[in-house]
Amino acid sequence: MEYNHAAGRFSYSTMQFKVYEDYLDSKVTSMDLFYLKSRELARKLVEHGHKGTVLSREEFEERKAAAQAAEAARTNAFYNRSRPMTLASAGKELKDNFLKALAEREEANRSGKMTSVIFIRDHNTLGQEVSGYIDYAHRLKTQDFEPYFSGKKRLMPGRSDLCYYNWKTQVSTSNPSPNFEVIYDDPNGLLFKNKQDKKILNVDPLSGPGEDSKRTFLQSDLYVHAVFYDHNIRTV
């Protein structure tokens, strides 16, 4: 249905009426009731347009439902903005540099202000050396990180992450994520393209990481090798 200013006013006004009959009654005057001697007849005259432009019952119900949905969306948006974000790292005693780095970036990655790519190289539970690149923001949305911050599990790259390589089996995979495209055939080597601002993240240690990006090498007791690539999302 095409939206116009009149429709917007109608949608707004329907919120003050519980039912269609209340809407019709709002257009019935005391003079109407005096001469017609019947509220039902007065409503019929209003409904059939004798008192000016009015909504049909179907239009009233449709616009009332739309107005209620819009109001609910505004309420939810306000609630979500005002509700403090629940962080999996909150209240945890973190001793390792890697877990501290995860915690420092959790809020920004959950809120969308930053998208971090984490490079990890270490040995899996079978003792095989594996390495890979993880989209931290995506993992936060799809996994419970409380076990990682509690030390019950170790964050490790897998076949569904941006990139994964098993040095024993030579199994190699690459996958796009909601935040990054993987560019693996570029002359400059492996690159990740941010889907939001289209900027390139370069993971080559001999090159700069790219505009609005930062590379951080970590000394960690949990991993052989760990690097954070943080890409800040600029908002206009």
Side-chain angles (χ1 to χ4, degrees), residues 167-211:
W167 295 81
K168 173 72 173 179
T169 63
Q170 296 188 342
V171 170
S172 175
T173 63
S174 65
N175 308 279
S177 75
N179 300 305
F180 291 99
E181 296 176 14
V182 182
I183 303 173
Y184 50 84
D185 56 356
D186 191 272
N188 295 316
L190 180 65
L191 305 172
F192 297 110
K193 184 177 182 180
N194 187 278
K195 289 184 176 180
Q196 185 169 335
D197 61 15
K198 310 304 181 184
K199 293 179 180 178
I200 298 296
L201 177 64
N202 191 336
V203 296
D204 183 350
L206 300 179
S207 301
E211 187 178 358

Side-chain angles (χ1 to χ4, degrees), residues 10-189:
F10 276 133
S11 296
Y12 177 78
S13 66
T14 57
M15 289 291 289
Q16 57 189 299
F17 305 114
K18 290 185 177 180
V19 294
Y20 184 57
E21 285 71 22
D22 291 343
Y23 166 68
L24 295 177
D25 284 345
S26 70
K27 299 182 179 298
V28 175
T29 66
S30 57
M31 290 294 290
D32 294 333
L33 294 175
F34 177 79
Y35 285 109
L36 297 173
K37 308 298 183 183
S38 167
R39 182 173 294 275
E40 188 63 32
L41 179 57
R43 286 174 178 170
K44 288 293 183 185
L45 290 175
V46 171
E47 186 173 1
H48 289 110
H50 295 291
K51 299 281 290 181
T53 303
V54 294
L55 299 174
S56 68
R57 184 177 297 272
E58 291 76 13
E59 289 172 329
F60 173 86
E61 296 295 344
E62 179 181 327
R63 290 179 181 174
K64 183 174 177 63
Q68 289 173 333
E71 181 64 24
R74 284 193 293 271
T75 301
N76 289 337
F78 174 78
Y79 174 74
N80 289 333
R81 285 196 302 270
S82 60
R83 182 178 58 181
M85 183 180 295
T86 302
L87 301 178
S89 58
K92 302 293 190 302
E93 184 178 356
L94 308 173
K95 296 181 180 180
D96 187 81
N97 290 333
F98 181 84
L99 295 180
K100 290 178 182 178
L102 276 186
E104 289 169 0
R105 294 160 172 80
E106 184 183 3
E107 188 278 332
N109 274 269
R110 286 191 185 276
S111 65
K113 292 180 287 189
M114 174 190 291
T115 50
S116 298
V117 172
I118 307 169
F119 173 78
I120 290 175
R121 180 167 66 89
D122 206 90
H123 296 86
N124 61 18
T125 54
L126 299 176
Q128 300 166 336
E129 184 177 347
V130 298
S131 60
Y133 293 87
I134 298 170
D135 180 343
Y136 184 30
H138 178 51
R139 281 280 201 110
L140 283 169
K141 285 183 171 62
T142 57
Q143 286 188 330
D144 177 11
F145 262 67
E146 196 279 334
Y148 295 124
F149 287 115
S150 297
K152 299 172 184 175
K153 291 175 62 177
R154 281 199 316 149
L155 182 67
M156 289 290 289
R159 297 187 183 190
S160 62
D161 284 309
L162 290 170
C163 287
Y164 168 83
Y165 184 66
N166 186 310
W167 295 81
K168 173 72 173 179
T169 63
Q170 296 188 342
V171 170
S172 175
T173 63
S174 65
N175 308 279
S177 75
N179 300 305
F180 291 99
E181 296 176 14
V182 182
I183 303 173
Y184 50 84
D185 56 356
D186 191 272
N188 295 316

